[in-house]
């Protein structure tokens, strides 16, 4: 358990809820593709006196005094980001992935300009110009998707749309893409139409840092990433680029969009990047992919329909239509059994986004926990038992049985970050 004696004394209501969440995270199999377990070191850095300090500006150019220790902390985070990803420039201040992406619009577009991104129901992110997002209302969004027969992005189609619509900004990457992103092909299209190319690697940053997915460096003009998904850092984000775009990005983040950076988060990002530069992180990244593939193979062998037929990364998108259960019903039953997922639209989904046909799974958190291919396959088997029972309309006994098996398994693997 984390050490929270002051919190216990001051606010037992919140303390109890945090302890319950700790226990929940320890006793469940967490397959949410955007989640992970940070290390104890990262967790410690986030809970420090750095939260007391205001630091508007950048290292060496601040609007407040008392930056003797903040400047070197932020500089270390910047230098480590540059080294881990091999970029000229890194801004570690964005509060999260969505504001980081908004800063890119502010840096390169005027309201009404055209942005090309992947459609949300196809695997894109809200901030890539989806209609309910500010990015889809203040700008002119045009969209690409995946092919119905392959479940993969068709680069010829992306090129056709780009030539027709002439976007100023193109987003590559997304939030439910189980396949390798072809950054060189996107770069060629962006060059052809004179667009700025963004690689949004929020999901796959840890795989890229660990050498398990090709890097967008040298292809994308700007790289946007969260720090809390496969990269396994605190909740935050970074924008990276070559020298040419460095000034525009820094100006857009501060003072364009944000005030003071969250220094406790910056410190924790620096720690996470140090961890990501170690040889063990490469092992982790490869294991994430192996675990996702093992889980996918187990599910496919049990009649589950995987969008695109499998995965190249940490993520699986499953169309449950063949199982006769909706994504939401399956996700709720699995959660009751101790297996945490999220319901998700699948490409060309005939159902509504709030009760779609699919489930999204990711293997980062279970890998950080130490689970391997054998355990990933066991999890696939349990998922099948639960989903099959739910489809038959009588799942209570199965859920109880799987819940006990999940607890027995998680009991064997210590929770990262906790003693
Ligand atoms: C998660 C994600 C984001 C947004 O991150 P938040 O920190 O949730 O705002 C942006 N882009 C992609 C592709 C993502 O997966």
């Amino acid at each position: 358990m984390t050490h929270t004696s002051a919190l216990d004394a001051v606010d037992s209501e919140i303390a109890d809820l945090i302890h319950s969440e700790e226990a929940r995270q320890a006793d469940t199999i967490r397959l949410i593709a955007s989640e992970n377990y940070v290390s104890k070191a990262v967790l410690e850095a986030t809970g420090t006196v750095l939260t007391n300090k205001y630091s508007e500006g950048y290292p060496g150019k601040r609007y407040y005094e008392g930056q003797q220790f903040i400047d070197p902390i932020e500089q270390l985070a910047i230098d480590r980001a540059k080294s881990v990803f091999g970029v000229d420039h890194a801004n570690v201040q964005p509060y999260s992935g969505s504001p980081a992406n908004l800063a890119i619009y502010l840096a390169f577009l005027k309201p009404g300009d055209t942005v090309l991104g992947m459609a949300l129901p196809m695997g894109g992110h809200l901030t890539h110009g989806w209609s309910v997002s500010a990015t889809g209302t203040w700008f002119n969004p045009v969209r690409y998707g995946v092919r119905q027969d392959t479940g993969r992005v068709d680069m010829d189609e992306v090129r056709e749309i780009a030539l027709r619509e002439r976007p100023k900004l193109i987003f590559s990457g997304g939030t439910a893409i189980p396949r390798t992103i072809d950054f060189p092909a996107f770069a060629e299209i962006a060059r052809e139409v004179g667009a700025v190319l963004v690689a949004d690697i929020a999901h796959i940053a840890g795989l890229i840092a660990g050498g398990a997915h090709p890097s967008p460096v040298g292809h994308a003009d700007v790289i946007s990433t969260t720090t809390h998904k496969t990269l396994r850092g605190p909740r935050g984000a970074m924008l990276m680029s070559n020298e040419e775009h460095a000034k525009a990005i820094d100006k857009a983040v501060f003072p364009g969009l944000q005030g003071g950076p969250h220094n406790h988060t910056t410190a924790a990002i620096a720690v996470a990047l140090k961890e990501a530069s170690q040889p063990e992180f490469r092992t982790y990244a490869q294991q994430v992919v192996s675990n996702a593939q093992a889980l996918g193979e187990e599910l496919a062998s049990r009649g589950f329909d995987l969008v695109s037929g499998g995965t190249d990364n940490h993520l699986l998108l499953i169309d449950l239509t063949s199982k006769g259960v909706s994504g939401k019903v399956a996700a709720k039953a699995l959660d009751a059994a101790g297996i945490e997922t999220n319901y998700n639209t699948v490409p060309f989904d005939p159902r509504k986004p709030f009760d779609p046909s699919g489930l999204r799974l990711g293997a980062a958190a279970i890998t950080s926990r130490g689970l391997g291919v054998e355990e990933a396959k066991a999890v696939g088997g349990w998922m099948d038992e639960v989903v099959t029972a739910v489809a038959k309309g009588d799942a209570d006994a199965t859920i109880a049985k799987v819940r006990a098996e999940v607890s027995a398994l998680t009991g064997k693997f210590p929770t990262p970050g906790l003693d």
Side-chain angles (χ1 to χ4, degrees):
M1 295 262 268
T2 21
H3 182 67
T4 54
S5 50
L7 182 57
D8 289 323
V10 169
D11 189 342
S12 61
E13 264 178 294
I14 287 293
D16 288 349
L17 289 166
I18 292 174
H19 293 314
S20 298
E21 171 63 11
E22 253 179 45
R24 192 193 67 80
Q25 289 190 16
D27 191 32
T28 51
I29 290 170
R30 302 178 52 233
L31 296 178
I32 292 185
S34 48
E35 293 183 0
N36 214 326
Y37 293 96
V38 299
S39 70
K40 184 129 191 156
V42 167
L43 211 50
E44 276 180 11
T46 61
T48 58
V49 294
L50 300 178
T51 200
N52 296 337
K53 188 73 196 112
Y54 243 101
S55 314
E56 284 184 358
Y58 290 102
K61 284 175 289 180
R62 304 283 193 186
Y63 292 81
Y64 295 76
E65 295 314 312
Q67 310 296 345
Q68 291 85 343
F69 307 107
I70 301 298
D71 275 4
I73 286 171
E74 185 168 338
Q75 195 58 53
L76 270 172
I78 292 168
D79 292 344
R80 288 174 183 172
K82 285 161 68 171
S83 155
V84 164
F85 289 96
V87 290
D88 295 342
H89 179 70
N91 185 311
V92 298
Q93 293 193 4
Y95 298 143
S96 214
S98 302
N101 283 348
L102 203 52
I104 297 172
Y105 288 82
L106 186 61
F108 299 105
L109 266 58
K110 294 270 177 284
D113 282 347
T114 300
V115 53
L116 174 60
M118 195 176 197
L120 181 75
M122 293 283 181
H125 191 260
L126 282 163
T127 55
H128 298 182
W130 194 241
S131 47
V132 295
S133 154
T135 62
T137 55
W138 295 344
F139 302 94
N140 173 43
V142 292
R143 292 161 189 134
Y144 59 91
V146 296
R147 286 176 61 109
Q148 195 152 14
D149 55 345
T150 61
R152 295 174 189 242
V153 175
D154 178 345
M155 294 312 299
D156 292 332
E157 187 207 35
V158 176
R159 181 167 176 268
E160 269 172 43
I161 300 170
L163 286 169
R164 188 174 69 233
E165 304 285 351
R166 296 271 154 189
K168 277 204 174 161
L169 193 65
I170 299 177
F171 273 92
S172 55
T175 186
I177 305 175
R179 294 297 180 176
T180 302
I181 298 159
D182 190 348
F183 296 121
F186 272 103
E188 207 179 304
I189 294 165
R191 230 173 291 123
E192 199 175 349
V193 301
V196 171
L197 176 65
V198 182
D200 185 345
I201 61 168
H203 264 267
I204 55 175
L207 304 184
I208 291 169
H213 186 291
S215 168
V217 175
H219 306 295
D221 300 292
V222 181
I223 299 169
S224 172
T225 186
T226 58
T227 46
H228 48 271
K229 298 180 185 174
T230 56
L231 190 56
R232 210 162 67 183
R235 301 197 87 83
M238 307 192 291
L239 289 172
M240 298 178 279
S241 70
N242 52 19
E243 268 314 325
E244 185 192 348
H245 299 302
K247 266 216 170 91
I249 285 170
D250 283 354
K251 255 183 69 187
V253 173
F254 174 85
L257 203 63
Q258 298 190 169
H262 295 179
N263 296 312
H264 56 303
T265 298
T266 306
I269 290 174
V271 175
L273 288 167
K274 180 169 184 178
E275 291 174 352
S277 70
Q278 307 301 313
E280 303 87 87
F281 198 84
R282 297 187 81 79
T283 311
Y284 151 78
Q286 306 293 341
Q287 190 65 48
V288 169
V289 177
S290 301
N291 284 351
Q293 288 174 342
L295 177 58
E297 281 159 21
E298 185 65 28
L299 289 169
S301 77
R302 291 166 175 270
F304 283 83
D305 181 7
L306 311 188
V307 172
S308 84
T311 182
D312 301 325
N313 56 31
H314 65 302
L315 185 148
L316 294 158
L317 195 55
I318 296 172
D319 186 342
L320 291 169
T321 308
S322 64
K323 290 283 178 178
V325 184
S326 81
K328 195 177 195 169
V329 167
K332 292 208 174 296
L334 288 166
D335 191 51
I339 299 172
E340 204 186 344
T341 66
N342 69 277
Y343 56 85
N344 214 96
T345 54
V346 295
F348 309 97
D349 204 324
R351 301 178 62 93
K352 295 265 182 296
F354 200 58
D355 189 13
S357 303
L359 281 181
R360 189 183 67 158
L361 313 176
I366 59 167
T367 306
S368 294
R369 183 101 188 234
L371 275 65
V373 160
E374 196 187 316
E375 289 82 21
K377 285 185 180 290
V379 171
W382 293 332
M383 290 183 66
D384 182 35
E385 287 180 40
V386 171
V387 169
T388 303
V390 168
K392 287 191 187 130
D394 181 20
D396 289 356
T398 306
I399 287 172
K401 171 191 157 283
V402 171
R403 187 72 193 82
E405 285 170 317
V406 164
S407 287
L409 180 74
T410 55
K412 287 191 244 163
F413 292 88
T415 318
L418 301 176
D419 289 327

